[in-house]
């Protein structure tokens, strides 16, 4: 996953936050989802609050040979 584009990481973070929902009342898996979002934010050197704002909806999907 070292070769993932930053937009790929943002897509994963977006999906995790959608899955986890409200960070105030979490079960164990939802809590882990938020932990992963924090790790992705650190990896991308962005505050968690800015992750989703950085998503480029026009970013093209990478081709299998590019992955």
């Amino acid at each position: 996953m070292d070769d993932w584009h930053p937009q790929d990481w943002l897509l994963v973070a977006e999906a995790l936050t959608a899955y986890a929902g409200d960070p105030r009342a979490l079960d164990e898996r939802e809590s882990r989802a938020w932990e992963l979002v924090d790790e992705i934010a650190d990896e991308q050197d962005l505050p968690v609050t800015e992750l989703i704002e950085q998503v480029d909806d026009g970013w093209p999907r990478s081709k299998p040979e590019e992955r």
Side-chain angles (χ1 to χ4, degrees):
M1 290 195 285
D2 292 334
D3 60 343
W4 280 20
H5 188 278
Q7 285 296 315
D8 295 331
W9 284 112
L10 296 176
L11 178 62
V12 170
E14 182 180 28
L16 286 167
T17 57
Y19 166 78
D22 185 354
R24 289 176 279 198
L26 304 175
D27 65 25
E28 190 172 325
R29 289 182 61 83
E30 292 166 337
S31 180
R32 179 63 181 143
W34 278 108
E35 289 172 14
L36 291 171
V37 169
D38 286 337
E39 290 178 26
I40 291 170
D42 288 343
E43 175 72 25
Q44 297 303 309
D45 198 28
L46 288 169
V48 172
T49 56
E50 292 182 22
L51 274 181
I52 304 305
E53 295 172 9
Q54 300 299 318
V55 172
D56 179 359
D57 291 328
W59 178 254
R61 181 178 174 193
S62 59
K63 296 181 175 92
E65 64 271 6
E66 294 176 348
R67 288 187 224 150

